[in-house]
Amino acid sequence: MNQLTEILAPAGSKESLAAAVNAGADAVYVGGNSFGARAYAENFTEEELLSAIDYVHLHGRKIYLTVNTLLKEGEMPLLYDYLAPFYERGLDAVIVQDVGVMDFVRDVFTELPIHVSTQATVTGAWGAEFFKERGASRIIPARELSLEEIRKIKDASGLEIECFVHGALCYGYSGQCLLSSLIGGRSGNRGQCAQPCRLPYSAAGGKYRDIMSLKDLCAIDLIPDLLDAGVDSFKIEGRMKQPDYVYTAVRLYRKYLDLCREAGKENYRVLKSDREALQGIYRRRGYTDGYFKRHNGREMISFQRPEEMTERQEPLPEMNLKEKINGKLILSKGEHAKLYIESGGVSVSVSGGEVQESIRSPLDEGRVRKQMKKTGNTEFAFDCLEILMQDDIFLPMQALNVLRREGILKLTEAKLAPHRREIPDRREAGRAEGGVKDRLLDRKPELSVLASEERQLEMVFEDRRVDTVYIESELALRAMAERRQAGQKCFLAMPYVFRESAVRMYEKLYRWILDVFDGVLARNWETCQWLKEKEYPGEIRGDYNLYAYNRRSQSVLEDAGIARLTAPVELNYRELSELGVRSGSLIVYGRQPVMISAGCIKKSTGACGRKDGETVLTDRKRNEFIVKNHCSYCYNVMYNCRPLLLHGRREEVKRLGPAEVRIDFLNETKEEAERILGLCGSCFLGETAVEVPDIPYTNGHFKRGVK
């Protein structure tokens, strides 16, 4: 059982910070005014955050800063000035999603621990190893993992593991959801998710229900199991919730973590009254113990409407937590007053005014003690104060006040000194340097196609314009890649999520991958690391969800063995130009995945037949979203209601000069696929003007981008 596990609390405001510390949190996580995944939380100004760092350190706690959004190339130069003052003050860690940001922090702020955000979608030991090699000290894995998967990550990596134990759950894998981004322009990867998954949808023509709205997580009954799995940090979600929620949640998780340590697993019980208090403070859509002991399930879904949500605010106790100090005051006639203070092994001494012989009113010890104990709004209070004073002496009360203030100030500085760091002068490190180099500038792009159905594959293999064929993994298992044209490359598109069952499958298929394919299209960190440790000799290309928003991220991925990256789908033309995609792939057609989920729509709304298939979700505006269930890997992929089509942006695409333009087919018929292939071939490989197709389509973020 892990005896060092911390309670980690959210602090979206100064009031919530105080509530967390007073309730017994070991650490808090906060957002500053930039780069955090809760852009609409109150968050902290620079001065407030600097004060917060000192506050938690004086109380022996830790503080972690969320820098867990993806940074655009133009934002990277701002990162140094943003982090430097917090680094100097003693920030205990940063929580990061972007591999470029991680590389920057490791390179510049060398003493700052890096925690990998759940937004990075680490789902197994391979992903943890990928980040361990890049300087991470802690992994916050995907919330979809079981206790056994968490244990294996811990055992294999040796890294600290932080798991959410309470609060809101996303329906999709965090970091792999573009639903809010593509339908409303508010990106979860930029901290602005509008939570459209919480809205009602109709599945396969049924009634409208909240079928993607998960109940909130409450894992207080699982504390012994989480400790056995090696979890180092129990994380409570809620940087946008009220201080009373933070106080109650922290207080009860603190109580039961301590109880479990004292009484042991066999004697662990949660009182009904405590569970009701915990769940009653924020009753939104019901509670679930999450994925720890299940892969998914209908019982995790709320199916409730927002008007049923209730929030009860409880009066908070007075936030008067004080650190105990011991002191000795020496007042001797003709000598300077001396005060010695000790707290937590830190000792200081100060000298004050000269003690005089009393003429009329000698000092009274009781009055001296009362005056010295007036520590006011400092973080300290005297537990024991020894006073050694002679009779018939005098010292003004003001002199005692000055002595006390100077002593506490000196103690404060001494306790904070070990946390202080020197700031490295490395502003230039955030500048646009390195990254994937532009190559082959004067050439037409290659044309590639991602095929999902056999009818598409047959057509693509017959088309000599197609340089590379990416085959979705389930299709590849039943299709013959050898049918391709001479000179055509064939790549296996690996699963979007590479959890243990998938790893076991591909261990058996590895020889087949070597024999049949020229390379693979990787979509997650697990696949990248698995291939590295296999010493895979083929070419590895990265899909768009190996996010490379900035050149530093590009460089990290190139160093990791990714030969060609796919341009991020949330950047606009200007941002793509600044980033540089001449060595990469640009998707010009396709229904883009908007969500990858462990939850199964078919299972939640009916029954899972354990057979690959698809259903249609319809929103309140009658937009239809195809959802494919991939039973081999037990995840769903939800696709945008309209396909991306950039034929009207031909000149901008030409100026970007990507090495490859890519067409992604989903469920198009052979005839539809032929038409799209012909249109894109003429548009992006030649100079022929093309007609606007008579289909609904979107330009995605190519024009608008995300904030």
Side-chain angles (χ1 to χ4, degrees), residues 84-137:
F86 309 138
Y87 178 80
E88 179 189 37
R89 199 67 154 235
L91 181 68
D92 293 291
V94 285
I95 304 171
V96 177
Q97 174 188 11
D98 191 312
V99 293
V101 173
M102 178 180 295
D103 187 66
F104 174 86
V105 171
R106 184 180 69 167
D107 182 31
V108 178
F109 300 108
T110 55
E111 297 177 32
L112 186 58
I114 297 169
H115 297 177
V116 178
S117 172
T118 193
Q119 288 282 126
T121 329
V122 174
T123 62
W126 298 106
E129 187 62 29
F130 178 92
F131 287 108
K132 181 179 181 179
E133 290 183 359
R134 285 153 185 83
S137 61

Tab-separated table of all heavy atoms in Angstrom, residues 84-137:
chain	number	residue	atom	x	y	z
A	84	ALA	N	8.913	31.972	-15.940
A	84	ALA	CA	10.122	32.328	-15.188
A	84	ALA	C	9.846	32.802	-13.759
A	84	ALA	O	10.488	32.323	-12.812
A	84	ALA	CB	10.925	33.370	-15.959
A	85	PRO	N	8.917	33.731	-13.526
A	85	PRO	CA	8.716	34.172	-12.138
A	85	PRO	C	8.198	33.071	-11.222
A	85	PRO	O	8.543	33.021	-10.036
A	85	PRO	CB	7.704	35.314	-12.262
A	85	PRO	CG	7.147	35.235	-13.631
A	85	PRO	CD	8.123	34.525	-14.472
A	86	PHE	N	7.388	32.169	-11.748
A	86	PHE	CA	6.867	31.069	-10.926
A	86	PHE	C	7.965	30.053	-10.632
A	86	PHE	O	8.029	29.486	-9.530
A	86	PHE	CB	5.692	30.393	-11.632
A	86	PHE	CG	4.631	31.348	-12.100
A	86	PHE	CD1	4.036	31.210	-13.342
A	86	PHE	CD2	4.231	32.412	-11.295
A	86	PHE	CE1	3.071	32.091	-13.774
A	86	PHE	CE2	3.256	33.309	-11.719
A	86	PHE	CZ	2.680	33.143	-12.966
A	87	TYR	N	8.823	29.834	-11.611
A	87	TYR	CA	9.966	28.936	-11.420
A	87	TYR	C	10.871	29.481	-10.321
A	87	TYR	O	11.292	28.747	-9.417
A	87	TYR	CB	10.728	28.818	-12.735
A	87	TYR	CG	11.973	27.963	-12.672
A	87	TYR	CD1	11.893	26.575	-12.732
A	87	TYR	CD2	13.239	28.543	-12.579
A	87	TYR	CE1	13.032	25.787	-12.681
A	87	TYR	CE2	14.384	27.771	-12.535
A	87	TYR	CZ	14.276	26.392	-12.591
A	87	TYR	OH	15.413	25.622	-12.542
A	88	GLU	N	11.159	30.767	-10.376
A	88	GLU	CA	12.018	31.392	-9.371
A	88	GLU	C	11.387	31.302	-7.985
A	88	GLU	O	12.069	31.049	-6.988
A	88	GLU	CB	12.264	32.859	-9.725
A	88	GLU	CG	13.142	33.582	-8.708
A	88	GLU	CD	13.199	35.072	-8.941
A	88	GLU	OE1	12.159	35.648	-9.336
A	88	GLU	OE2	14.253	35.670	-8.712
A	89	ARG	N	10.090	31.461	-7.915
A	89	ARG	CA	9.411	31.485	-6.627
A	89	ARG	C	9.351	30.100	-5.989
A	89	ARG	O	9.207	29.988	-4.772
A	89	ARG	CB	7.999	32.028	-6.813
A	89	ARG	CG	7.344	32.537	-5.561
A	89	ARG	CD	8.029	33.797	-5.003
A	89	ARG	NE	7.116	34.591	-4.222
A	89	ARG	CZ	6.859	35.871	-4.433
A	89	ARG	NH1	7.463	36.503	-5.426
A	89	ARG	NH2	6.017	36.524	-3.667
A	90	GLY	N	9.446	29.049	-6.812
A	90	GLY	CA	9.462	27.717	-6.241
A	90	GLY	C	8.312	26.833	-6.652
A	90	GLY	O	7.983	25.867	-5.936
A	91	LEU	N	7.678	27.108	-7.787
A	91	LEU	CA	6.607	26.256	-8.293
A	91	LEU	C	7.056	24.796	-8.262
A	91	LEU	O	8.168	24.458	-8.651
A	91	LEU	CB	6.270	26.670	-9.729
A	91	LEU	CG	5.154	25.898	-10.424
A	91	LEU	CD1	3.806	26.195	-9.783
A	91	LEU	CD2	5.116	26.258	-11.916
A	92	ASP	N	6.158	23.904	-7.809
A	92	ASP	CA	6.551	22.514	-7.576
A	92	ASP	C	6.461	21.634	-8.817
A	92	ASP	O	7.116	20.596	-8.877
A	92	ASP	CB	5.689	21.917	-6.460
A	92	ASP	CG	5.984	22.566	-5.122
A	92	ASP	OD1	7.083	22.349	-4.594
A	92	ASP	OD2	5.124	23.314	-4.625
A	93	ALA	N	5.636	21.995	-9.804
A	93	ALA	CA	5.543	21.200	-11.036
A	93	ALA	C	4.660	21.934	-12.031
A	93	ALA	O	3.854	22.799	-11.663
A	93	ALA	CB	4.972	19.806	-10.764
A	94	VAL	N	4.810	21.567	-13.296
A	94	VAL	CA	3.882	22.009	-14.331
A	94	VAL	C	3.171	20.787	-14.901
A	94	VAL	O	3.759	19.702	-15.017
A	94	VAL	CB	4.581	22.766	-15.489
A	94	VAL	CG1	4.963	24.157	-15.070
A	94	VAL	CG2	5.783	21.997	-16.012
A	95	ILE	N	1.900	20.964	-15.215
A	95	ILE	CA	1.096	19.909	-15.827
A	95	ILE	C	0.991	20.233	-17.310
A	95	ILE	O	0.497	21.292	-17.683
A	95	ILE	CB	-0.301	19.847	-15.187
A	95	ILE	CG1	-0.179	19.655	-13.671
A	95	ILE	CG2	-1.131	18.733	-15.805
A	95	ILE	CD1	-1.500	19.793	-12.931
A	96	VAL	N	1.467	19.312	-18.174
A	96	VAL	CA	1.705	19.629	-19.577
A	96	VAL	C	1.053	18.603	-20.495
A	96	VAL	O	1.052	17.399	-20.206
A	96	VAL	CB	3.231	19.684	-19.854
A	96	VAL	CG1	3.522	19.930	-21.316
A	96	VAL	CG2	3.883	20.765	-19.000
A	97	GLN	N	0.502	19.081	-21.606
A	97	GLN	CA	0.017	18.211	-22.682
A	97	GLN	C	0.940	18.241	-23.894
A	97	GLN	O	1.265	17.202	-24.465
A	97	GLN	CB	-1.389	18.648	-23.131
A	97	GLN	CG	-1.903	17.875	-24.353
A	97	GLN	CD	-3.200	18.438	-24.918
A	97	GLN	OE1	-3.628	19.523	-24.549
A	97	GLN	NE2	-3.835	17.715	-25.820
A	98	ASP	N	1.390	19.418	-24.284
A	98	ASP	CA	2.140	19.643	-25.517
A	98	ASP	C	3.575	19.134	-25.371
A	98	ASP	O	4.303	19.542	-24.455
A	98	ASP	CB	2.128	21.150	-25.807
A	98	ASP	CG	2.640	21.521	-27.176
A	98	ASP	OD1	3.712	21.022	-27.563
A	98	ASP	OD2	1.992	22.321	-27.868
A	99	VAL	N	4.012	18.257	-26.283
A	99	VAL	CA	5.375	17.715	-26.187
A	99	VAL	C	6.426	18.792	-26.444
A	99	VAL	O	7.551	18.688	-25.955
A	99	VAL	CB	5.579	16.524	-27.147
A	99	VAL	CG1	4.738	15.333	-26.717
A	99	VAL	CG2	5.291	16.907	-28.597
A	100	GLY	N	6.065	19.830	-27.181
A	100	GLY	CA	6.984	20.941	-27.378
A	100	GLY	C	7.175	21.739	-26.106
A	100	GLY	O	8.286	22.156	-25.774
A	101	VAL	N	6.095	21.967	-25.387
A	101	VAL	CA	6.174	22.662	-24.101
A	101	VAL	C	6.995	21.831	-23.119
A	101	VAL	O	7.836	22.351	-22.385
A	101	VAL	CB	4.760	22.920	-23.545
A	101	VAL	CG1	4.837	23.486	-22.127
A	101	VAL	CG2	4.003	23.878	-24.456
A	102	MET	N	6.759	20.530	-23.118
A	102	MET	CA	7.524	19.645	-22.235
A	102	MET	C	9.018	19.746	-22.541
A	102	MET	O	9.849	19.852	-21.623
A	102	MET	CB	7.048	18.206	-22.401
A	102	MET	CG	7.815	17.210	-21.569
A	102	MET	SD	7.227	15.519	-21.788
A	102	MET	CE	5.596	15.687	-21.108
A	103	ASP	N	9.363	19.715	-23.800
A	103	ASP	CA	10.764	19.792	-24.200
A	103	ASP	C	11.369	21.133	-23.796
A	103	ASP	O	12.512	21.203	-23.336
A	103	ASP	CB	10.863	19.591	-25.715
A	103	ASP	CG	12.290	19.484	-26.197
A	103	ASP	OD1	12.960	18.493	-25.842
A	103	ASP	OD2	12.740	20.390	-26.928
A	104	PHE	N	10.586	22.197	-23.940
A	104	PHE	CA	11.038	23.531	-23.552
A	104	PHE	C	11.317	23.596	-22.052
A	104	PHE	O	12.353	24.092	-21.617
A	104	PHE	CB	9.980	24.562	-23.946
A	104	PHE	CG	10.270	25.957	-23.480
A	104	PHE	CD1	11.057	26.807	-24.235
A	104	PHE	CD2	9.761	26.427	-22.273
A	104	PHE	CE1	11.332	28.099	-23.809
A	104	PHE	CE2	10.033	27.704	-21.834
A	104	PHE	CZ	10.818	28.549	-22.607
A	105	VAL	N	10.382	23.094	-21.253
A	105	VAL	CA	10.546	23.133	-19.800
A	105	VAL	C	11.761	22.322	-19.383
A	105	VAL	O	12.572	22.764	-18.550
A	105	VAL	CB	9.271	22.621	-19.102
A	105	VAL	CG1	9.512	22.437	-17.600
A	105	VAL	CG2	8.114	23.587	-19.340
A	106	ARG	N	11.912	21.154	-19.951
A	106	ARG	CA	13.055	20.312	-19.590
A	106	ARG	C	14.374	20.986	-19.969
A	106	ARG	O	15.367	20.890	-19.228
A	106	ARG	CB	12.950	18.963	-20.304
A	106	ARG	CG	14.043	17.981	-19.913
A	106	ARG	CD	13.925	16.664	-20.635
A	106	ARG	NE	14.210	16.782	-22.055
A	106	ARG	CZ	14.415	15.746	-22.872
A	106	ARG	NH1	14.329	14.514	-22.398
A	106	ARG	NH2	14.667	15.925	-24.144
A	107	ASP	N	14.374	21.688	-21.075
A	107	ASP	CA	15.589	22.322	-21.575
A	107	ASP	C	15.941	23.580	-20.798
A	107	ASP	O	17.115	23.849	-20.522
A	107	ASP	CB	15.405	22.648	-23.064
A	107	ASP	CG	16.638	23.269	-23.681
A	107	ASP	OD1	17.754	22.946	-23.236
A	107	ASP	OD2	16.496	24.083	-24.612
A	108	VAL	N	14.932	24.372	-20.421
A	108	VAL	CA	15.166	25.697	-19.847
A	108	VAL	C	15.006	25.717	-18.332
A	108	VAL	O	15.877	26.193	-17.607
A	108	VAL	CB	14.213	26.726	-20.501
A	108	VAL	CG1	14.406	28.102	-19.874
A	108	VAL	CG2	14.449	26.787	-22.009
A	109	PHE	N	13.900	25.200	-17.844
A	109	PHE	CA	13.632	25.216	-16.402
A	109	PHE	C	13.971	23.834	-15.832
A	109	PHE	O	13.099	23.035	-15.502
A	109	PHE	CB	12.178	25.595	-16.140
A	109	PHE	CG	11.820	26.956	-16.677
A	109	PHE	CD1	11.016	27.100	-17.796
A	109	PHE	CD2	12.316	28.101	-16.074
A	109	PHE	CE1	10.693	28.348	-18.294
A	109	PHE	CE2	12.000	29.361	-16.561
A	109	PHE	CZ	11.192	29.492	-17.682
A	110	THR	N	15.244	23.597	-15.721
A	110	THR	CA	15.755	22.240	-15.529
A	110	THR	C	15.360	21.602	-14.203
A	110	THR	O	15.376	20.379	-14.073
A	110	THR	CB	17.284	22.246	-15.645
A	110	THR	OG1	17.819	23.202	-14.703
A	110	THR	CG2	17.726	22.648	-17.044
A	111	GLU	N	15.031	22.411	-13.204
A	111	GLU	CA	14.682	21.860	-11.891
A	111	GLU	C	13.174	21.727	-11.696
A	111	GLU	O	12.727	21.368	-10.604
A	111	GLU	CB	15.260	22.742	-10.784
A	111	GLU	CG	16.786	22.813	-10.780
A	111	GLU	CD	17.294	23.766	-9.713
A	111	GLU	OE1	16.639	23.877	-8.656
A	111	GLU	OE2	18.323	24.413	-9.934
A	112	LEU	N	12.396	22.015	-12.705
A	112	LEU	CA	10.939	22.016	-12.568
A	112	LEU	C	10.369	20.663	-12.995
A	112	LEU	O	10.459	20.285	-14.164
A	112	LEU	CB	10.338	23.127	-13.429
A	112	LEU	CG	8.839	23.384	-13.304
A	112	LEU	CD1	8.470	23.720	-11.866
A	112	LEU	CD2	8.419	24.507	-14.245
A	113	PRO	N	9.775	19.913	-12.063
A	113	PRO	CA	9.179	18.623	-12.433
A	113	PRO	C	8.058	18.780	-13.453
A	113	PRO	O	7.303	19.766	-13.427
A	113	PRO	CB	8.649	18.092	-11.093
A	113	PRO	CG	9.477	18.773	-10.057
A	113	PRO	CD	9.738	20.142	-10.608
A	114	ILE	N	7.928	17.781	-14.320
A	114	ILE	CA	6.928	17.783	-15.386
A	114	ILE	C	5.923	16.674	-15.134
A	114	ILE	O	6.291	15.502	-15.017
A	114	ILE	CB	7.590	17.587	-16.765
A	114	ILE	CG1	8.545	18.746	-17.076
A	114	ILE	CG2	6.534	17.454	-17.857
A	114	ILE	CD1	9.433	18.491	-18.283
A	115	HIS	N	4.658	17.048	-15.047
A	115	HIS	CA	3.569	16.086	-14.918
A	115	HIS	C	2.815	16.046	-16.244
A	115	HIS	O	2.401	17.087	-16.756
A	115	HIS	CB	2.616	16.485	-13.790
A	115	HIS	CG	3.241	16.494	-12.429
A	115	HIS	ND1	2.561	16.886	-11.291
A	115	HIS	CD2	4.484	16.143	-12.015
A	115	HIS	CE1	3.364	16.775	-10.247
A	115	HIS	NE2	4.540	16.335	-10.657
A	116	VAL	N	2.639	14.863	-16.790
A	116	VAL	CA	1.982	14.714	-18.096
A	116	VAL	C	0.472	14.698	-17.891
A	116	VAL	O	-0.073	13.840	-17.199
A	116	VAL	CB	2.448	13.428	-18.801
A	116	VAL	CG1	1.735	13.256	-20.132
A	116	VAL	CG2	3.958	13.471	-19.007
A	117	SER	N	-0.197	15.653	-18.504
A	117	SER	CA	-1.631	15.845	-18.322
A	117	SER	C	-2.438	14.661	-18.843
A	117	SER	O	-2.023	13.958	-19.772
A	117	SER	CB	-2.072	17.117	-19.049
A	117	SER	OG	-3.477	17.252	-19.067
A	118	THR	N	-3.630	14.485	-18.280
A	118	THR	CA	-4.560	13.493	-18.841
A	118	THR	C	-4.936	13.860	-20.267
A	118	THR	O	-5.368	12.997	-21.032
A	118	THR	CB	-5.819	13.376	-17.956
A	118	THR	OG1	-6.558	12.216	-18.323
A	118	THR	CG2	-6.711	14.605	-18.077
A	119	GLN	N	-4.753	15.135	-20.650
A	119	GLN	CA	-4.990	15.569	-22.030
A	119	GLN	C	-4.040	14.899	-23.022
A	119	GLN	O	-4.302	14.883	-24.217
A	119	GLN	CB	-4.823	17.088	-22.145
A	119	GLN	CG	-5.922	17.909	-21.512
A	119	GLN	CD	-7.157	17.953	-22.374
A	119	GLN	OE1	-8.251	17.625	-21.921
A	119	GLN	NE2	-7.009	18.343	-23.616
A	120	ALA	N	-2.930	14.353	-22.539
A	120	ALA	CA	-1.980	13.670	-23.418
A	120	ALA	C	-2.424	12.255	-23.757
A	120	ALA	O	-1.804	11.580	-24.576
A	120	ALA	CB	-0.591	13.645	-22.782
A	121	THR	N	-3.468	11.781	-23.125
A	121	THR	CA	-4.092	10.481	-23.425
A	121	THR	C	-3.106	9.318	-23.301
A	121	THR	O	-2.939	8.522	-24.220
A	121	THR	CB	-4.731	10.477	-24.836
A	121	THR	OG1	-5.201	11.772	-25.185
A	121	THR	CG2	-5.898	9.485	-24.889
A	122	VAL	N	-2.456	9.217	-22.157
A	122	VAL	CA	-1.596	8.067	-21.899
A	122	VAL	C	-2.484	6.902	-21.458
A	122	VAL	O	-3.191	6.990	-20.461
A	122	VAL	CB	-0.557	8.376	-20.810
A	122	VAL	CG1	0.238	7.129	-20.454
A	122	VAL	CG2	0.384	9.482	-21.276
A	123	THR	N	-2.451	5.815	-22.211
A	123	THR	CA	-3.339	4.683	-21.923
A	123	THR	C	-2.592	3.396	-21.591
A	123	THR	O	-3.219	2.344	-21.461
A	123	THR	CB	-4.278	4.416	-23.117
A	123	THR	OG1	-3.492	4.060	-24.264
A	123	THR	CG2	-5.137	5.624	-23.431
A	124	GLY	N	-1.273	3.470	-21.469
A	124	GLY	CA	-0.543	2.246	-21.161
A	124	GLY	C	0.914	2.511	-20.846
A	124	GLY	O	1.404	3.643	-20.919
A	125	ALA	N	1.617	1.436	-20.518
A	125	ALA	CA	3.019	1.542	-20.108
A	125	ALA	C	3.903	2.079	-21.225
A	125	ALA	O	4.900	2.762	-20.966
A	125	ALA	CB	3.524	0.183	-19.637
A	126	TRP	N	3.548	1.771	-22.491
A	126	TRP	CA	4.364	2.266	-23.602
A	126	TRP	C	4.309	3.795	-23.664
A	126	TRP	O	5.321	4.456	-23.883
A	126	TRP	CB	3.882	1.667	-24.921
A	126	TRP	CG	3.984	0.176	-24.987
A	126	TRP	CD1	2.961	-0.730	-24.917
A	126	TRP	CD2	5.179	-0.603	-25.134
A	126	TRP	NE1	3.442	-2.014	-25.005
A	126	TRP	CE2	4.796	-1.968	-25.143
A	126	TRP	CE3	6.526	-0.286	-25.256
A	126	TRP	CZ2	5.710	-3.003	-25.262
A	126	TRP	CZ3	7.442	-1.325	-25.379
A	126	TRP	CH2	7.034	-2.658	-25.385
A	127	GLY	N	3.108	4.349	-23.490
A	127	GLY	CA	2.977	5.804	-23.495
A	127	GLY	C	3.710	6.438	-22.331
A	127	GLY	O	4.352	7.485	-22.476
A	128	ALA	N	3.627	5.811	-21.153
A	128	ALA	CA	4.344	6.338	-19.999
A	128	ALA	C	5.847	6.341	-20.247
A	128	ALA	O	6.557	7.288	-19.894
A	128	ALA	CB	4.006	5.507	-18.759
A	129	GLU	N	6.346	5.288	-20.888
A	129	GLU	CA	7.775	5.213	-21.188
A	129	GLU	C	8.190	6.298	-22.176
A	129	GLU	O	9.279	6.875	-22.062
A	129	GLU	CB	8.116	3.831	-21.743
A	129	GLU	CG	9.606	3.581	-21.922
A	129	GLU	CD	10.383	3.628	-20.627
A	129	GLU	OE1	9.814	3.310	-19.569
A	129	GLU	OE2	11.580	4.002	-20.670
A	130	PHE	N	7.320	6.574	-23.144
A	130	PHE	CA	7.593	7.649	-24.111
A	130	PHE	C	7.860	8.957	-23.377
A	130	PHE	O	8.829	9.672	-23.673
A	130	PHE	CB	6.406	7.802	-25.063
A	130	PHE	CG	6.560	8.901	-26.076
A	130	PHE	CD1	7.101	8.645	-27.319
A	130	PHE	CD2	6.160	10.198	-25.783
A	130	PHE	CE1	7.249	9.663	-28.265
A	130	PHE	CE2	6.306	11.225	-26.714
A	130	PHE	CZ	6.847	10.949	-27.960
A	131	PHE	N	7.025	9.274	-22.406
A	131	PHE	CA	7.183	10.538	-21.692
A	131	PHE	C	8.277	10.476	-20.639
A	131	PHE	O	8.916	11.494	-20.348
A	131	PHE	CB	5.849	10.950	-21.073
A	131	PHE	CG	4.861	11.441	-22.091
A	131	PHE	CD1	3.764	10.669	-22.433
A	131	PHE	CD2	5.040	12.654	-22.718
A	131	PHE	CE1	2.849	11.104	-23.387
A	131	PHE	CE2	4.132	13.110	-23.671
A	131	PHE	CZ	3.041	12.337	-24.013
A	132	LYS	N	8.505	9.315	-20.088
A	132	LYS	CA	9.613	9.173	-19.136
A	132	LYS	C	10.935	9.502	-19.824
A	132	LYS	O	11.794	10.188	-19.242
A	132	LYS	CB	9.647	7.753	-18.574
A	132	LYS	CG	10.756	7.512	-17.559
A	132	LYS	CD	10.722	6.086	-17.023
A	132	LYS	CE	11.809	5.845	-15.997
A	132	LYS	NZ	11.767	4.463	-15.461
A	133	GLU	N	11.107	9.027	-21.042
A	133	GLU	CA	12.336	9.305	-21.788
A	133	GLU	C	12.487	10.789	-22.099
A	133	GLU	O	13.588	11.245	-22.419
A	133	GLU	CB	12.349	8.495	-23.087
A	133	GLU	CG	12.521	6.997	-22.867
A	133	GLU	CD	12.597	6.226	-24.170
A	133	GLU	OE1	12.486	6.868	-25.252
A	133	GLU	OE2	12.755	4.996	-24.123
A	134	ARG	N	11.404	11.541	-21.993
A	134	ARG	CA	11.437	12.967	-22.297
A	134	ARG	C	11.329	13.831	-21.053
A	134	ARG	O	10.981	15.005	-21.129
A	134	ARG	CB	10.338	13.295	-23.317
A	134	ARG	CG	10.748	12.814	-24.701
A	134	ARG	CD	9.596	12.489	-25.626
A	134	ARG	NE	10.151	11.927	-26.863
A	134	ARG	CZ	10.491	10.641	-27.007
A	134	ARG	NH1	10.325	9.795	-26.007
A	134	ARG	NH2	11.006	10.218	-28.149
A	135	GLY	N	11.632	13.215	-19.906
A	135	GLY	CA	11.813	13.996	-18.688
A	135	GLY	C	10.633	14.071	-17.756
A	135	GLY	O	10.695	14.804	-16.756
A	136	ALA	N	9.549	13.349	-18.017
A	136	ALA	CA	8.396	13.409	-17.124
A	136	ALA	C	8.696	12.717	-15.803
A	136	ALA	O	9.390	11.698	-15.766
A	136	ALA	CB	7.180	12.767	-17.784
A	137	SER	N	8.160	13.272	-14.727
A	137	SER	CA	8.281	12.633	-13.419
A	137	SER	C	6.962	12.039	-12.964
A	137	SER	O	6.939	11.222	-12.040
A	137	SER	CB	8.761	13.647	-12.376
A	137	SER	OG	7.840	14.714	-12.239
